[in-house]
Amino acid sequence: MTLIANARMYSVGEQAAADWKQLMAWVLKQAQLEWDVIDYPAPAPLSELWARSDLGLVMMCGLPFSMHDHRPEIIAAPVPVADRYGRRPVYFTDIVIRADSQWQTLEDSFGGILGFTLEDSMSGGVALRHHLAPLRAQRGSRLYRKAEGGLVNARGVIDALIAGRIDVGPLDSYYHELLQSYEPDYASQVRTIATTQAFPIPPLIATAELNPEQLKRLQAALSSTASAPEVAGLMKRLLITGFTVPLASDYDSLATLARQPLPHFEDI
């Protein structure tokens, strides 16, 4: 069985997807692995990709990974370059509004329409609910007059903001920065008014069983991206300093958080 590689989660557009494919192809060549780097563009559901048994190097949201009965093998995780990540494999949820809004703080948005991607999304759902829950408890009543879900991903949030269907919504911070880099005109239509705590960033995983030698070569190749001149341009465009190997237990906190009795969006 030929295994596959894919970075759909952070392929924010055609050029970013091409850069990820090129980087993954280089990594696989260095690791002497003749796997296929596949396209898997939206709107194909990521849940179907993650359910496949032939994944060799595929980016997966940390929340379903953490709640999986039989967790896939963690290969590595990207380390974003921006200072706020502290050279750690983490990310945040940026809470954003339209760039032309007069609001300056998250509290200014209360009473408006809150958008979210999916209830079970980490960056677009659970992290946002966790951030707003204590504010909801402190206020003792709903923060927003309405919540609109089903926005699916960061582009859905931005499009809903631009269209005026929502007033505030969540963006995966690393995805947000990639959009700002690859599509600055599009990304400039929104701005950040609050940011959640840090969470473990989506890892690269394998559902297929890799032998120890394959895993060793693959992780070594990913580690070498930090200094390899052949991929320096790709790494710069993808806004990462390299890859590190987190522990599977690093993601336990996500499952714990998702199982907390947080208020649902219709009650926030």
Side-chain angles (χ1 to χ4, degrees), residues 20 57 59 74-80 88-90 200-205 219 222 225 240-247 250-251:
W20 275 114
L57 187 65
M59 207 163 277
I74 282 189
I75 308 301
V79 180
R88 298 173 295 155
V90 299
I201 200 166
L204 288 160
I205 59 90
Q219 290 176 332
L222 286 163
T225 61
I240 50 177
T241 63
F243 295 86
T244 189
V245 182
L247 298 173
D250 291 344
Y251 293 82

Side-chain angles (χ1 to χ4, degrees), residues 45-55 60 68 207:
L46 282 167
S47 58
E48 292 186 8
L49 174 66
W50 298 332
R52 292 175 57 159
S53 61
D54 61 346
L55 308 184
M60 183 179 190
H68 207 291
T207 56

Side-chain angles (χ1 to χ4, degrees), residues 128-147:
L128 180 61
R129 288 167 59 207
H130 180 262
H131 188 82
L132 294 173
L135 299 173
R136 168 66 172 81
Q138 181 180 356
R139 182 166 175 159
S141 61
R142 289 190 62 177
L143 304 177
Y144 296 95
R145 71 175 185 272
K146 181 182 176 182

Side-chain angles (χ1 to χ4, degrees), residues 5-13 16-17 20 24 38-42 44-47 49-50 57-65 78 91 117 120-124 152-155 172-176 178-179 200-205 238 251 254:
N6 177 268
R8 152 78 182 278
M9 277 203 71
Y10 288 117
S11 295
V12 302
W20 275 114
M24 286 191 154
I38 68 163
D39 291 313
Y40 193 81
L46 282 167
S47 58
L49 174 66
W50 298 332
L57 187 65
V58 171
M59 207 163 277
M60 183 179 190
C61 178
L63 183 57
F65 169 83
Y91 75 128
T117 59
D120 59 355
S121 164
M122 189 62 215
S123 62
V152 181
N153 55 31
R155 284 186 179 274
D172 173 313
S173 64
Y174 175 48
Y175 195 109
H176 188 191
L178 287 170
L179 278 176
I201 200 166
L204 288 160
I205 59 90
L238 292 170
Y251 293 82
L254 303 186

Side-chain angles (χ1 to χ4, degrees), residues 17-229:
D19 284 346
W20 275 114
K21 286 183 70 177
Q22 188 176 345
L23 181 63
M24 286 191 154
W26 184 88
V27 166
L28 293 177
K29 184 177 180 180
Q30 295 299 115
Q32 303 171 46
L33 296 169
E34 295 183 358
W35 299 349
D36 293 334
V37 184
I38 68 163
D39 291 313
Y40 193 81
L46 282 167
S47 58
E48 292 186 8
L49 174 66
W50 298 332
R52 292 175 57 159
S53 61
D54 61 346
L55 308 184
L57 187 65
V58 171
M59 207 163 277
M60 183 179 190
C61 178
L63 183 57
F65 169 83
S66 72
M67 302 184 77
H68 207 291
D69 289 337
H70 303 285
R71 287 183 178 179
E73 173 110 49
I74 282 189
I75 308 301
V79 180
V81 71
D83 289 343
R84 61 172 165 169
Y85 302 102
R87 302 186 71 84
R88 298 173 295 155
V90 299
Y91 75 128
F92 308 86
T93 288
D94 289 339
I95 303 174
V96 301
I97 58 175
R98 287 185 296 277
D100 61 2
S101 171
Q102 298 302 305
W103 294 340
Q104 297 299 318
T105 68
L106 180 61
E107 289 75 12
D108 291 338
S109 73
F110 294 170
I113 300 174
L114 175 67
F116 63 96
T117 59
L118 301 165
E119 285 265 6
D120 59 355
S121 164
M122 189 62 215
S123 62
V126 175
L128 180 61
R129 288 167 59 207
H130 180 262
H131 188 82
L132 294 173
L135 299 173
R136 168 66 172 81
Q138 181 180 356
R139 182 166 175 159
S141 61
R142 289 190 62 177
L143 304 177
Y144 296 95
R145 71 175 185 272
K146 181 182 176 182
E148 179 173 333
L151 301 178
V152 181
N153 55 31
R155 284 186 179 274
V157 171
I158 293 175
D159 290 345
L161 283 165
I162 294 168
R165 301 202 322 269
I166 65 172
D167 299 308
V168 59
L171 299 183
D172 173 313
S173 64
Y174 175 48
Y175 195 109
H176 188 191
E177 289 163 0
L178 287 170
L179 278 176
Q180 289 171 329
S181 179
Y182 281 94
E183 300 181 43
D185 290 343
Y186 177 67
S188 68
Q189 296 177 94
V190 302
R191 60 182 172 86
T192 303
I193 55 167
T195 300
T196 69
Q197 71 182 71
F199 298 100
I201 200 166
L204 288 160
I205 59 90
T207 56
E209 186 173 346
L210 307 183
N211 65 51
E213 182 58 30
Q214 287 176 316
L215 181 59
K216 179 180 178 181
R217 294 201 309 267
L218 191 55
Q219 290 176 332
L222 286 163
S223 178
S224 72
T225 61
S227 57

